[in-house]
Amino acid sequence: MSPRAAGSDAARLLCVGSTVVDVNIQGLTRFPVPDVEFTNVSDVAHEDPARLLLGGTAANTAMVYAGLTGACQLGGVLGDDPFGDFLAVGLADHGVEVIGERAGSTATHTIALGVDGRRQAYWYPGPPLDPAPLLAAWPPGHVYLSGINLCLQRPLTDAACTFGRAARAAGARAALDIGQGGPGALDFDEITAIGTEMDLLIGSRAEFAAALGCEYADGRERLREQFGGPVVVKQGADGSLLDPGPGQALRRVPGFAVQAVNPIGAGDAFAGGLLSAWLAGADLETACRRGNAAGAVSVRSAGGPQDVTKAAVDRLELEG
């Protein structure tokens, strides 16, 4: 890796992927039961107000990265509507520069969280992201791909590889978050195809298990036949698992004990913290600790990633 990728002047990052408005409801003691009319089982009251939050996997990471480093670029779709206005203003206030034109209706993610950890969600994807004008407008630097299955039309491997190839040709680094999970998740072949142009793979324990068909530690050798770079497995409250490379021992990086309030976007906040350290020259174990702290700050806040600040992350790392 060239010096440009390790020094403080190399911190410019483009996050590409999911950008949405989150309609967030927290603290539900029960969930509704479907009915043809409003009844005492289908109509659920909640004490805390619904919150309109800046969201999307790539946007969340961009906000946290900007909060920790000063600025970040985002390649995502903002609709030409009031929700798009909300995103444009809010992201700018967080130091995120959105690249690309506004079009269509903004993607939304309406999610309800129960006090017992259960959740219900409703997803409107919005218009797809066209990578061509984004690539044309982007002066290549570091790039992070996240939630691309939610916004890029398939086949998406060529577009994803083009971002990675451009970054690496410029002496910068490229990273892929393999999420989101679900029926449209990246499969093993897509992950390994994109991995040919990536320096780092990130994903949750559940996402890797879905792609590999087993827990990461049990299936890592299958992945290692195709990808030789470092892998980071997000493990929620348990912190993270670092796989430095083929033949090397797995390293567990402990998390921080906090009271969970809003878990949505905590993994994206983790990525923002990790990237802020790794792209500034830290080793990956140190970067994972930074990521764990950013994720913990996010999960203990009602606002999630948009409430993550450098002061709070620094303080938690120092205290922990």
Side-chain angles (χ1 to χ4, degrees), residues 84-114:
D85 295 338
F86 171 77
L87 284 173
V89 172
L91 289 169
D93 286 346
H94 281 81
V96 177
E97 176 194 1
V98 181
I99 301 177
E101 298 180 357
R102 294 178 56 175
S105 299
T106 302
T108 57
H109 186 208
T110 303
I111 188 162
L113 301 171

Side-chain angles (χ1 to χ4, degrees), residues 47-62:
E47 294 184 4
D48 295 330
R51 294 176 174 88
L52 201 61
L53 302 177
L54 308 166
T57 59
N60 284 338
T61 297

Side-chain angles (χ1 to χ4, degrees), residues 237-290:
D238 293 331
S240 49
L241 180 70
L242 171 62
D243 182 353
Q248 300 187 54
L250 300 177
R251 304 177 193 172
R252 299 189 180 278
V253 184
F256 296 83
V258 297
Q259 180 65 44
V261 175
N262 180 14
I264 305 303
D268 307 324
F270 167 86
L274 181 153
L275 293 168
S276 72
W278 184 54
L279 297 182
D283 64 82
L284 269 172
E285 189 164 352
T286 300
C288 282
R289 178 175 170 81
R290 186 70 167 170

